[in-house]
Amino acid sequence: MSSVMSSLPQINNSLAAAPDPAAIGLIYNPHGGRFRKHPARMQDLLSALPEIRQIRASNQIEFEQAVMALVQAEIRWLIVVGGDGTLQGVISCLFDHLAPERWPEITIIPAGTTNMTALDLGVNEQAEQILIRIGQFLRQPGKIKQVTRPVLRIEQTGKKNVYGMMLGLGLIARGVKFSRSQIKQLGITGNIFTVLIVLRSLAGTFLGRPQPEWAPVCIRQKDETGALSERVYQFAFVSALEKLLLGIRPYWGREPAPLHATFIRQHSKHFWRAIWPLIAGRGHHLKREDGYISYNAASIELWLDDEYIVDGELYHASSQDGPLTITADGPVLFRVP
């Protein structure tokens, strides 16, 4: 694998040569938010790209089959039409079969319910506009932006590795679990969907509800002496992205390492006054002793018995299986048309 320091984000703009359509593969998730809202339009745009090999996939088994088919075809550019969950499924399959240095360049077209990774990479347009531009690019190549990002490799003894861009705990996991069961059924996607999740989670905190759906998360970590100490957090996350939902950057560590981690203690002081600095990425004045912790690292170990989410997908950790180890892997090269 590449060194940790090489996985720090980089951005390059280069003039692309005319792409060989035979070296391009496309995976799309027909159950993504954009497909549910505009199925005919999305299918028409995909049909306008007949020179690109396209594979439909909507679950982990189908992602595996699609990735294997495209790997065997030795594609050099992989276009993923879907949201964070679709990209996470594809990336996990790629890690299972190829070293990152042998991967194709990846383009993510934001067509899911949440599209945090695409927004962090600078993909700000709707999926339809990007598909049209890819068709134009095939006919007349021009400059293209390349962005690298590390990837979280999440390991626990006896379980299959999970790969993704953002891991969330506590109220973050509770909010996503709630959204999957209720908000998502309303057909709401994009930033509105994200705002509702955040408001729902903060409402639970504000009301102080004792129900399990609002429970904080208990995490044990090694202290300076190597002993395990337990703390209770309202929420915590570890991210390989520079920005999260709605473009916020709620971490302020200064260490030269690729993963950003933030932990907010339960009953942290002046929490409501700290929300704006957290959202605005101005948390440098927030104090560890008041319950606000943020740092960068190459690897993090957490002991917990709870749910966690990775790019919107729900998992469960058990301390009986040892620590949940989160390590920087990659980096992955993204092509932003």
Side-chain angles (χ1 to χ4, degrees), residues 163-182:
Y163 297 88
M165 307 305 288
M166 201 281 282
L167 177 148
L169 294 157
L171 285 178
I172 298 174
R174 318 292 183 225
V176 170
K177 185 176 181 179
F178 165 78
S179 71
R180 289 164 64 95
S181 62
Q182 298 188 41

PDB file of all heavy atoms in Angstrom, residues 163-182:
ATOM      1  N   TYR A 163     -14.682  -0.367   4.117  1.00  0.00           N
ATOM      2  CA  TYR A 163     -13.963   0.783   3.571  1.00  0.00           C
ATOM      3  C   TYR A 163     -14.956   1.901   3.308  1.00  0.00           C
ATOM      4  O   TYR A 163     -16.118   1.661   2.942  1.00  0.00           O
ATOM      5  CB  TYR A 163     -13.256   0.410   2.270  1.00  0.00           C
ATOM      6  CG  TYR A 163     -12.196  -0.648   2.426  1.00  0.00           C
ATOM      7  CD1 TYR A 163     -12.509  -2.004   2.331  1.00  0.00           C
ATOM      8  CD2 TYR A 163     -10.876  -0.306   2.685  1.00  0.00           C
ATOM      9  CE1 TYR A 163     -11.541  -2.982   2.481  1.00  0.00           C
ATOM     10  CE2 TYR A 163      -9.892  -1.272   2.837  1.00  0.00           C
ATOM     11  CZ  TYR A 163     -10.235  -2.607   2.736  1.00  0.00           C
ATOM     12  OH  TYR A 163      -9.271  -3.573   2.893  1.00  0.00           O
ATOM     13  N   GLY A 164     -14.527   3.125   3.483  1.00  0.00           N
ATOM     14  CA  GLY A 164     -15.412   4.250   3.231  1.00  0.00           C
ATOM     15  C   GLY A 164     -14.718   5.566   3.477  1.00  0.00           C
ATOM     16  O   GLY A 164     -13.510   5.631   3.715  1.00  0.00           O
ATOM     17  N   MET A 165     -15.509   6.639   3.456  1.00  0.00           N
ATOM     18  CA  MET A 165     -14.955   7.981   3.566  1.00  0.00           C
ATOM     19  C   MET A 165     -15.271   8.662   4.898  1.00  0.00           C
ATOM     20  O   MET A 165     -14.574   9.573   5.308  1.00  0.00           O
ATOM     21  CB  MET A 165     -15.474   8.859   2.419  1.00  0.00           C
ATOM     22  CG  MET A 165     -15.271   8.264   1.032  1.00  0.00           C
ATOM     23  SD  MET A 165     -13.569   7.822   0.642  1.00  0.00           S
ATOM     24  CE  MET A 165     -12.833   9.439   0.428  1.00  0.00           C
ATOM     25  N   MET A 166     -16.343   8.219   5.587  1.00  0.00           N
ATOM     26  CA  MET A 166     -16.692   8.852   6.853  1.00  0.00           C
ATOM     27  C   MET A 166     -17.379   7.854   7.767  1.00  0.00           C
ATOM     28  O   MET A 166     -18.318   7.185   7.368  1.00  0.00           O
ATOM     29  CB  MET A 166     -17.595  10.067   6.622  1.00  0.00           C
ATOM     30  CG  MET A 166     -17.608  11.078   7.782  1.00  0.00           C
ATOM     31  SD  MET A 166     -18.657  10.630   9.198  1.00  0.00           S
ATOM     32  CE  MET A 166     -20.281  11.043   8.557  1.00  0.00           C
ATOM     33  N   LEU A 167     -16.895   7.767   9.009  1.00  0.00           N
ATOM     34  CA  LEU A 167     -17.497   6.914  10.030  1.00  0.00           C
ATOM     35  C   LEU A 167     -18.108   7.798  11.096  1.00  0.00           C
ATOM     36  O   LEU A 167     -17.472   8.745  11.565  1.00  0.00           O
ATOM     37  CB  LEU A 167     -16.426   5.997  10.628  1.00  0.00           C
ATOM     38  CG  LEU A 167     -16.848   5.063  11.770  1.00  0.00           C
ATOM     39  CD1 LEU A 167     -16.042   3.767  11.724  1.00  0.00           C
ATOM     40  CD2 LEU A 167     -16.664   5.719  13.155  1.00  0.00           C
ATOM     41  N   GLY A 168     -19.350   7.490  11.480  1.00  0.00           N
ATOM     42  CA  GLY A 168     -20.032   8.283  12.492  1.00  0.00           C
ATOM     43  C   GLY A 168     -20.558   7.430  13.626  1.00  0.00           C
ATOM     44  O   GLY A 168     -20.970   6.279  13.427  1.00  0.00           O
ATOM     45  N   LEU A 169     -20.567   8.007  14.838  1.00  0.00           N
ATOM     46  CA  LEU A 169     -21.013   7.317  16.043  1.00  0.00           C
ATOM     47  C   LEU A 169     -21.963   8.210  16.834  1.00  0.00           C
ATOM     48  O   LEU A 169     -22.007   9.429  16.653  1.00  0.00           O
ATOM     49  CB  LEU A 169     -19.802   6.972  16.922  1.00  0.00           C
ATOM     50  CG  LEU A 169     -18.793   5.958  16.371  1.00  0.00           C
ATOM     51  CD1 LEU A 169     -17.447   6.149  17.054  1.00  0.00           C
ATOM     52  CD2 LEU A 169     -19.303   4.544  16.584  1.00  0.00           C
ATOM     53  N   GLY A 170     -22.699   7.600  17.743  1.00  0.00           N
ATOM     54  CA  GLY A 170     -23.582   8.357  18.610  1.00  0.00           C
ATOM     55  C   GLY A 170     -24.762   8.935  17.856  1.00  0.00           C
ATOM     56  O   GLY A 170     -25.422   8.235  17.081  1.00  0.00           O
ATOM     57  N   LEU A 171     -25.021  10.234  18.058  1.00  0.00           N
ATOM     58  CA  LEU A 171     -26.194  10.849  17.424  1.00  0.00           C
ATOM     59  C   LEU A 171     -26.113  10.803  15.903  1.00  0.00           C
ATOM     60  O   LEU A 171     -27.142  10.814  15.228  1.00  0.00           O
ATOM     61  CB  LEU A 171     -26.344  12.297  17.895  1.00  0.00           C
ATOM     62  CG  LEU A 171     -26.875  12.489  19.319  1.00  0.00           C
ATOM     63  CD1 LEU A 171     -26.934  13.960  19.660  1.00  0.00           C
ATOM     64  CD2 LEU A 171     -28.247  11.849  19.470  1.00  0.00           C
ATOM     65  N   ILE A 172     -24.913  10.757  15.345  1.00  0.00           N
ATOM     66  CA  ILE A 172     -24.791  10.666  13.891  1.00  0.00           C
ATOM     67  C   ILE A 172     -25.368   9.349  13.408  1.00  0.00           C
ATOM     68  O   ILE A 172     -26.167   9.294  12.464  1.00  0.00           O
ATOM     69  CB  ILE A 172     -23.319  10.813  13.460  1.00  0.00           C
ATOM     70  CG1 ILE A 172     -22.786  12.191  13.857  1.00  0.00           C
ATOM     71  CG2 ILE A 172     -23.171  10.606  11.958  1.00  0.00           C
ATOM     72  CD1 ILE A 172     -21.308  12.374  13.593  1.00  0.00           C
ATOM     73  N   ALA A 173     -24.979   8.258  14.068  1.00  0.00           N
ATOM     74  CA  ALA A 173     -25.513   6.942  13.684  1.00  0.00           C
ATOM     75  C   ALA A 173     -27.004   6.857  13.969  1.00  0.00           C
ATOM     76  O   ALA A 173     -27.770   6.299  13.171  1.00  0.00           O
ATOM     77  CB  ALA A 173     -24.766   5.841  14.424  1.00  0.00           C
ATOM     78  N   ARG A 174     -27.456   7.419  15.109  1.00  0.00           N
ATOM     79  CA  ARG A 174     -28.894   7.375  15.429  1.00  0.00           C
ATOM     80  C   ARG A 174     -29.708   8.132  14.379  1.00  0.00           C
ATOM     81  O   ARG A 174     -30.764   7.702  13.944  1.00  0.00           O
ATOM     82  CB  ARG A 174     -29.174   7.995  16.796  1.00  0.00           C
ATOM     83  CG  ARG A 174     -28.224   7.666  17.921  1.00  0.00           C
ATOM     84  CD  ARG A 174     -28.265   6.242  18.385  1.00  0.00           C
ATOM     85  NE  ARG A 174     -27.344   6.105  19.517  1.00  0.00           N
ATOM     86  CZ  ARG A 174     -26.490   5.106  19.667  1.00  0.00           C
ATOM     87  NH1 ARG A 174     -26.446   4.130  18.773  1.00  0.00           N
ATOM     88  NH2 ARG A 174     -25.677   5.050  20.710  1.00  0.00           N
ATOM     89  N   GLY A 175     -29.188   9.306  13.982  1.00  0.00           N
ATOM     90  CA  GLY A 175     -29.915  10.108  12.997  1.00  0.00           C
ATOM     91  C   GLY A 175     -30.013   9.417  11.668  1.00  0.00           C
ATOM     92  O   GLY A 175     -31.066   9.435  11.012  1.00  0.00           O
ATOM     93  N   VAL A 176     -28.925   8.790  11.217  1.00  0.00           N
ATOM     94  CA  VAL A 176     -28.953   8.088   9.936  1.00  0.00           C
ATOM     95  C   VAL A 176     -29.891   6.892   9.999  1.00  0.00           C
ATOM     96  O   VAL A 176     -30.646   6.625   9.059  1.00  0.00           O
ATOM     97  CB  VAL A 176     -27.527   7.645   9.529  1.00  0.00           C
ATOM     98  CG1 VAL A 176     -27.568   6.711   8.331  1.00  0.00           C
ATOM     99  CG2 VAL A 176     -26.678   8.870   9.222  1.00  0.00           C
ATOM    100  N   LYS A 177     -29.870   6.165  11.120  1.00  0.00           N
ATOM    101  CA  LYS A 177     -30.773   5.013  11.265  1.00  0.00           C
ATOM    102  C   LYS A 177     -32.223   5.459  11.201  1.00  0.00           C
ATOM    103  O   LYS A 177     -33.059   4.830  10.538  1.00  0.00           O
ATOM    104  CB  LYS A 177     -30.493   4.304  12.589  1.00  0.00           C
ATOM    105  CG  LYS A 177     -31.305   3.031  12.777  1.00  0.00           C
ATOM    106  CD  LYS A 177     -30.921   2.322  14.066  1.00  0.00           C
ATOM    107  CE  LYS A 177     -31.720   1.033  14.233  1.00  0.00           C
ATOM    108  NZ  LYS A 177     -31.329   0.331  15.495  1.00  0.00           N
ATOM    109  N   PHE A 178     -32.544   6.563  11.876  1.00  0.00           N
ATOM    110  CA  PHE A 178     -33.898   7.098  11.819  1.00  0.00           C
ATOM    111  C   PHE A 178     -34.267   7.505  10.404  1.00  0.00           C
ATOM    112  O   PHE A 178     -35.363   7.217   9.915  1.00  0.00           O
ATOM    113  CB  PHE A 178     -34.012   8.305  12.751  1.00  0.00           C
ATOM    114  CG  PHE A 178     -35.234   9.145  12.503  1.00  0.00           C
ATOM    115  CD1 PHE A 178     -36.474   8.749  12.958  1.00  0.00           C
ATOM    116  CD2 PHE A 178     -35.137  10.331  11.779  1.00  0.00           C
ATOM    117  CE1 PHE A 178     -37.603   9.505  12.710  1.00  0.00           C
ATOM    118  CE2 PHE A 178     -36.256  11.104  11.535  1.00  0.00           C
ATOM    119  CZ  PHE A 178     -37.499  10.690  12.002  1.00  0.00           C
ATOM    120  N   SER A 179     -33.338   8.158   9.720  1.00  0.00           N
ATOM    121  CA  SER A 179     -33.633   8.650   8.370  1.00  0.00           C
ATOM    122  C   SER A 179     -33.922   7.505   7.417  1.00  0.00           C
ATOM    123  O   SER A 179     -34.778   7.613   6.532  1.00  0.00           O
ATOM    124  CB  SER A 179     -32.458   9.475   7.846  1.00  0.00           C
ATOM    125  OG  SER A 179     -31.350   8.643   7.547  1.00  0.00           O
ATOM    126  N   ARG A 180     -33.218   6.390   7.583  1.00  0.00           N
ATOM    127  CA  ARG A 180     -33.429   5.244   6.698  1.00  0.00           C
ATOM    128  C   ARG A 180     -34.823   4.667   6.867  1.00  0.00           C
ATOM    129  O   ARG A 180     -35.418   4.157   5.922  1.00  0.00           O
ATOM    130  CB  ARG A 180     -32.387   4.170   6.982  1.00  0.00           C
ATOM    131  CG  ARG A 180     -30.991   4.524   6.533  1.00  0.00           C
ATOM    132  CD  ARG A 180     -29.968   3.620   7.168  1.00  0.00           C
ATOM    133  NE  ARG A 180     -30.142   2.246   6.752  1.00  0.00           N
ATOM    134  CZ  ARG A 180     -29.498   1.668   5.748  1.00  0.00           C
ATOM    135  NH1 ARG A 180     -28.611   2.373   5.072  1.00  0.00           N
ATOM    136  NH2 ARG A 180     -29.700   0.419   5.431  1.00  0.00           N
ATOM    137  N   SER A 181     -35.358   4.774   8.084  1.00  0.00           N
ATOM    138  CA  SER A 181     -36.648   4.157   8.351  1.00  0.00           C
ATOM    139  C   SER A 181     -37.829   5.086   8.117  1.00  0.00           C
ATOM    140  O   SER A 181     -38.939   4.631   7.872  1.00  0.00           O
ATOM    141  CB  SER A 181     -36.694   3.657   9.803  1.00  0.00           C
ATOM    142  OG  SER A 181     -36.552   4.743  10.697  1.00  0.00           O
ATOM    143  N   GLN A 182     -37.596   6.419   8.168  1.00  0.00           N
ATOM    144  CA  GLN A 182     -38.742   7.333   8.083  1.00  0.00           C
ATOM    145  C   GLN A 182     -38.560   8.433   7.028  1.00  0.00           C
ATOM    146  O   GLN A 182     -39.349   8.516   6.085  1.00  0.00           O
ATOM    147  CB  GLN A 182     -39.003   7.960   9.461  1.00  0.00           C
ATOM    148  CG  GLN A 182     -39.374   6.900  10.508  1.00  0.00           C
ATOM    149  CD  GLN A 182     -39.809   7.515  11.808  1.00  0.00           C
ATOM    150  OE1 GLN A 182     -40.541   8.507  11.821  1.00  0.00           O
ATOM    151  NE2 GLN A 182     -39.363   6.948  12.924  1.00  0.00           N
TER     152      GLN A 182
END
